[in-house]
Each structure stands twice: as structure tokens, then as C-alpha cells.
Amino acid sequence: MSKYLSPKLETVTPYTPGEQPQDQQYIKLNTNESPYLPSPAVVAAVSEHEVEKLRLYSDPACTDLLKTAAVHFGLQPDQIMPGNGSDENLFFALRAFCDETHPLAYADITYGCYSVWCELMHIPSHIIPLKEDFTLDPADYYGLNETIVIANPNAPTGLALPRSAIEGILKANPDNVVIVDEAYVDFGGESCVPLIDRYDNLLVVQTFSKSRQLAGARLGLAMGSASLIADLNRVKFSLNPYNINRLTLKAGQAALEDTVYFEKTRAAIVDTRAWTKQQLEARGFAVLDSRSNFLFASTQEKKGGELYQKLKKKGVLVRHFDAPRIENWLRITIGTPEQMQIFLNTLDKIMEE
Ligand SMILES: *Cc1c(COP(=O)(O)O)cnc(C)c1O
């Protein structure tokens, strides 16, 4: 850190993203990307013609993408805002709905960025522990009088709450925004999008990174009442009006329109997840009931950190969090069936050592 850094930033611990090795030598099961290529429609949409148009700024209103998204989700265009990844939309939401005297409530085991953004923006964190079995008790969130963020399905556990449980939290906090981070909802969660017209305190955030093969394009959608979305636009247009680039706008629209490819790839992940869970359980692992594109698993026989290291040495990258309560667990992204077979073979070799 330089002597010029604002003292307010000295205490911020930045988020540590999962490793992104730039050679191709790993089976990469560590950052919940899709193992499948983007839809052929996406490849066609990002045409040379569009590349030539990079000379011009992108549409700050994202008109075409919003039209497509509105039809897709059964909303009005003014109930949706695209972001540069859902990370940006979540950041905008915290900027809009929290501050020094308006805390953010979230679980002790959840997406790591929430706490980082709170530090960065000096938002007090109200951390609410999950139960012993990593489930979330909705009653813990009733009447908090604080902004709330819940990842549903949660990361890194993969556990999901039914829509009715989130609805209970919405009803019990009518004067506060409840942000539902649905990064993994397409793999078996119940989306809260159908509740948007009934709860003006609901903000749903989805991403194209996990179920639509576009992690590298950086695209997410925030969805809620037109007035909440106007608040987010106030932040966006005060920071970076052209936050979504031209190629991503085209790619995102094509990905949303190709529902056949979307269904095919998400069904493949769900099938491979069920098979992999069974395989891990047959090997004595505890595996949570994941509704996401990863499994959260642990074994009595080896420490999480050790397993992570040994898998990496043998070319398989998974995610290990050196954090209280979960240091013995591994988060394993669901890849292709072939990748999961290699993962299991590698695991078997390590367990025999
Ligand atoms: C991956 C992830 C995000 C971020 O997604 P991007 O759209 O790639 O920024 C947000 N929340 C959760 C829970 C995630 O797992």
C-alpha cells in the first residue's frame, strides 16, 4: 500500500477470487462457471459487424436487452437493470440502500463479497449465523429494520429456501429492501421474480455467469419494482453510464432467447450433480442437498485444505474456504460427466495414499 492510500481503505480486505490459471492444464471445478460453450446463437450475435461498432459507445439504457429480458421474465423493462456482472448490481444496491447508519444483514456463511462491500462503503454488517446444519431460519430475519441480502440458493452450501420462506421475510420487513441473490436459481431453486409485483421491497439479482455460459462477458440483471430499479439507475448513471459493453449486450440477448440451449445445459448440470453426489456419498463423504451447480462436501478422513492441495497437485482445481465452520469442506463445481469422472478417479488415488 502506498502512503497516498486513503486511511479509510487501509482496513479493507479485498475479495479473493477463485484461481483463474491462464494455462489449460487443470480440470477447473473451482469458480462455478459452466463447462459448456455459450449457445451458438451467442457466437453468431457477437459478429464482426458488432466488433466494428465498438468505435461507438454502447446504449446506456440497454433498450434491446431490456425488451428481451422483460418478455422472458414477465416484467416491464423499467423493472429491470442490467449490470456488469451481478456483482456490480449487488454493489449498486448496497450503495443505494445502505450507509453508515443503515446496516446490511446477511448470513455468516454466504457469498464473500457482501462483507467486502460493507467494509469498502463503511456499512455496518449484521451477521446472522446459519443453523448448525447450515440451513437458514427465516425467523432470524423478521422485523430487522435493516437491509437484507440472502443468496438463494446459498453459496457455498448450495442449500435453498422455498419462495414462501422468502415471502415471509418480505412481509416481516415492509420498510426495508430484501435483496435475493439468485446466482444459482436456475439449477433447482425457486425464483422470487413472480413476487416482484406484490412486494415493492423485493430486489432479485440474477447472473449470466453460472447458467448461461457468459461469466467472462460480465452480465447480470437486477429485477424489482420500477422505483427500486430507478434507485439503482441513479447510482449507475452517477458512476458509469456505459457499464455494459456492446458485445455483452448482444451476447446476453441471444443467450436469453435461446431457451432450448439453456434448458439442455442446465438439465445436464442437474443430472451430473445427482450422479456426482451419489458417487461422493458412496465414498463416505457428507454432501449437502445442493440446488446449485456445485456440491459442498466433506470427509472425516482428510482435512479440507489438504484435499484441496492434493487435488490441485494432480490437476483438479476445487474451492476451499479457510473460514470458521467450513474449513473441512470443499466446494466442487459440476463440470461435464467426463470431468467429474476424472475428479473422482483423482480423489480415489488421494484417499488410497
Ligand atoms: C458468482 C456469484 C455472483 C457474481 O456473479 P457475476 O455475475 O459473475 O458477478 C454473485 N453472487 C453469488 C452468490 C455468486 O455465486
Side-chain angles (χ1 to χ4, degrees):
M1 122 183 22
S2 82
K3 65 178 181 182
Y4 306 107
L5 183 72
S6 158
K8 284 195 165 184
L9 286 190
E10 279 173 9
T11 57
V12 176
T13 312
Y15 181 71
T16 312
E19 297 151 275
Q20 299 292 352
Q22 292 307 303
D23 46 37
Q24 295 287 312
Q25 59 177 339
Y26 288 102
I27 303 276
K28 199 170 173 309
L29 309 176
N30 69 329
T31 50
N32 299 342
E33 292 135 326
S34 175
Y36 300 109
L37 293 174
S39 144
V42 168
V43 179
V46 183
S47 60
E48 192 176 327
H49 178 63
E50 200 57 32
V51 173
E52 285 172 355
K53 281 207 242 162
L54 286 176
R55 175 178 81 74
L56 302 169
Y57 280 112
S58 58
D59 173 15
C62 306
T63 315
D64 292 341
L65 174 62
L66 282 188
K67 257 188 219 157
T68 301
V71 171
H72 186 87
F73 290 99
L75 298 168
Q76 298 300 315
D78 65 0
Q79 292 177 298
I80 310 176
M81 191 181 92
N84 193 305
S86 60
D87 279 345
E88 188 182 59
N89 275 334
L90 288 161
F91 179 89
F92 286 170
L94 266 52
R95 185 70 188 78
F97 307 122
C98 302
D99 58 38
E100 283 88 341
T101 58
H102 294 91
L104 180 70
Y106 53 93
D108 61 337
I109 298 165
T110 191
Y111 187 41
C113 282
Y114 306 148
S115 61
V116 176
W117 293 322
C118 283
E119 282 185 17
L120 183 63
M121 293 186 276
H122 307 107
I123 297 165
S125 287
H126 176 189
I127 294 172
I128 302 176
L130 297 175
K131 289 195 282 191
E132 191 64 32
D133 62 359
F134 298 135
T135 58
L136 181 151
D137 184 352
D140 289 346
Y141 291 77
Y142 290 174
L144 285 186
N145 203 26
E146 293 166 341
T147 304
I148 293 166
V149 62
I150 296 176
N152 191 42
N154 196 14
T157 64
L159 299 177
L161 290 169
R163 183 186 298 134
S164 57
I166 302 278
E167 188 166 8
I169 295 171
L170 286 162
K171 280 186 182 155
N173 294 277
D175 297 324
N176 291 93
V177 176
V178 178
I179 305 164
V180 184
D181 181 350
E182 294 189 347
Y184 301 104
V185 75
D186 296 326
F187 303 105
E190 266 185 343
S191 176
C192 284
V193 168
L195 299 180
I196 284 174
D197 283 331
R198 276 189 283 144
Y199 296 92
D200 66 2
N201 58 333
L202 168 62
L203 188 74
V204 177
V205 175
Q206 291 196 5
T207 175
F208 287 62
S209 297
K210 315 285 164 57
S211 57
R212 296 184 193 273
Q213 297 86 26
L214 288 176
R218 312 305 303 131
L219 185 64
L221 297 174
M223 296 175 272
S225 70
S227 57
L228 283 189
I229 295 303
D231 294 342
L232 296 185
N233 271 306
R234 177 186 282 264
V235 180
K236 159 180 157 153
F237 282 92
S238 306
L239 177 79
N240 185 8
Y242 308 106
N243 59 338
I244 319 290
N245 74 73
R246 275 178 177 280
L247 304 182
T248 294
L249 285 173
K250 287 282 183 199
Q253 199 182 342
L256 270 183
E257 281 165 350
D258 194 350
T259 52
V260 173
Y261 189 79
F262 170 75
E263 289 299 338
K264 196 173 85 175
T265 48
R266 87 161 160 181
I269 297 290
V270 169
D271 286 352
T272 309
R273 179 182 74 204
W275 177 79
T276 309
K277 181 171 191 274
Q278 208 178 28
Q279 292 292 316
L280 282 168
E281 284 171 345
R283 288 160 172 81
F285 276 72
V287 188
L288 298 188
D289 178 25
S290 171
R291 302 298 164 92
S292 61
N293 67 340
F294 56 81
L295 290 171
F296 203 48
S298 75
T299 170
Q300 307 275 9
E301 289 171 41
K302 288 232 187 325
K303 296 248 181 257
E306 180 192 348
L307 254 188
Y308 156 78
Q309 288 295 350
K310 292 193 162 162
L311 281 165
K312 184 175 173 181
K313 224 179 214 164
K314 294 188 189 305
V316 180
L317 268 186
V318 299
R319 192 87 200 257
H320 173 249
F321 298 93
D322 202 3
R325 297 181 71 187
I326 56 169
E327 62 276 273
N328 268 333
W329 293 76
L330 292 180
R331 192 193 70 189
I332 305 141
T333 304
I334 302 301
T336 62
E338 296 73 24
Q339 287 177 318
M340 299 326 280
Q341 187 66 65
I342 295 172
F343 158 70
L344 290 164
N345 294 347
T346 311
L347 193 64
D348 287 341
K349 272 191 217 145
I350 292 168
M351 299 309 273
E352 277 164 23
E353 277 169 9

